[in-house]
Amino acid sequence: MTMPEMHTLTGAYAVDALSEVERAQFQRHLGECASCAQEVLELQMTATRLGAALAEDPPPELKRRVLAQAMATRQQPPKTRFEAGERVKGRRRAPRWAIAAAAAAIVGLAGTAVFGGIAYDNHTQLTAAREQAAQYAQRYQPVAEVLSAADLRTGHADASVGGGGTVMMSRSKDRLVFMAARLAKNDPGRIYQAWFMYPGAPPKPAGLISGGQDGALLVADGLAGAENFALSVEQAGGSPTGTPSKDVVMVMPMPT
């Protein structure tokens, strides 16, 4: 799989529509490509908004019909421009099969039926949707600030318990975003705790995140001077001592 092909997999990755081999290859690419990391995050947020837009349960056979229709429908080739033998520059976008897979996966994951757009039955639903959109905007604003920073840096690391995650950080914003990727589910009463690690100084807690939720986000401020980002397994609520336990499952250098 060549690098240009990797750029087309953001949509399928965002809704968990890749094979195990493709996912592993794309996760390695994700740690080296800031634009793909940003696009994956935006697609996951969009999928979340679509899933929350309606409260109706889809018909039981909807997912099967959508997948069958996607497989049976002939897809149009992407439009390209060639002028005087000059190759079109720029990143390739997701092919139509990936978009179809994403739509089907959104239906399956969210348990929501969307037919030709979002419909609202009454004023109450519309008001609730607007309030929910405002909540999403507030929640993801810190993430958007990191992704739009001129000094955005990204990196990916694997965890010893399985899975791992991608770090997106900005020194100028003094903020880091960690996006989990197939991070193993926690045992009952346990949780992952993130840490900023400093040379010659005690580690600093950076927040808590649950495993088993692909795409789960952790946003942490105050990374100035940190040399590494780490995850440890702690009791629910975090380390009682304010330092990592011996069960450290991931350590990665801060992206440069």
Side-chain angles (χ1 to χ4, degrees):
M1 188 173 294
T2 64
M3 195 61 69
E5 290 172 334
M6 284 291 181
H7 292 308
T8 69
L9 297 181
T10 53
Y13 177 84
V15 292
D16 199 21
L18 295 178
S19 69
E20 292 294 331
V21 173
E22 289 173 330
R23 170 172 287 273
Q25 291 175 328
F26 186 77
Q27 284 177 343
R28 288 193 293 270
H29 167 69
L30 198 63
E32 302 171 353
C33 181
S35 59
C36 280
Q38 178 174 351
E39 187 168 336
V40 164
L41 188 57
E42 291 172 349
L43 288 170
Q44 287 178 329
M45 289 190 292
T46 300
T48 300
R49 295 189 185 102
L50 286 173
L54 294 173
E56 298 178 5
D57 292 330
E61 293 297 307
L62 177 62
K63 182 177 180 180
R64 182 190 62 78
R65 293 202 307 269
V66 170
L67 290 173
Q69 188 67 28
M71 294 295 294
T73 302
R74 181 179 179 180
Q75 307 300 324
Q76 297 295 325
K79 295 181 180 180
T80 58
R81 300 194 313 272
F82 290 92
E83 297 179 4
E86 181 181 356
R87 295 184 62 184
V88 176
K89 298 182 180 180
R91 208 173 56 172
R92 293 167 59 188
R93 310 302 296 177
R96 289 178 177 267
W97 67 263
I99 296 174
I106 289 171
V107 170
L109 292 173
T112 300
V114 180
F115 298 94
I118 298 175
Y120 299 97
D121 293 335
N122 51 50
H123 179 71
T124 301
Q125 280 188 323
L126 180 58
T127 300
R130 285 174 175 168
E131 292 175 351
Q132 191 171 55
Q135 292 173 359
Y136 278 120
Q138 184 176 10
R139 177 182 176 184
Y140 290 112
Q141 182 178 359
V143 179
E145 290 176 354
V146 171
L147 295 177
S148 62
D151 62 341
L152 172 68
R153 298 291 184 270
T154 65
H156 181 84
D158 296 325
S160 60
V161 293
T166 298
V167 162
M168 295 159 279
M169 57 166 279
S170 165
R171 294 283 186 185
S172 65
K173 301 295 183 181
D174 198 26
R175 179 173 296 155
L176 174 146
V177 177
F178 175 74
M179 182 171 65
R182 291 288 174 96
L183 196 58
K185 187 176 181 180
N186 304 102
D187 292 331
R190 309 289 282 176
I191 197 167
Y192 294 106
Q193 186 161 9
W195 304 88
F196 291 137
M197 313 292 283
Y198 304 89
K204 185 177 77 173
L208 304 174
I209 188 169
S210 297
Q213 301 178 19
D214 208 25
L217 294 176
L218 181 148
V219 180
D221 293 329
L223 56 86
E227 187 174 76
N228 294 305
F229 177 80
L231 286 182
S232 65
V233 178
E234 307 291 346
Q235 65 186 43
S239 169
T241 65
T243 57
S245 68
K246 294 182 179 179
D247 197 3
V248 176
V249 297
M250 191 188 83
V251 178
M252 69 171 293
M254 289 295 190
T256 57

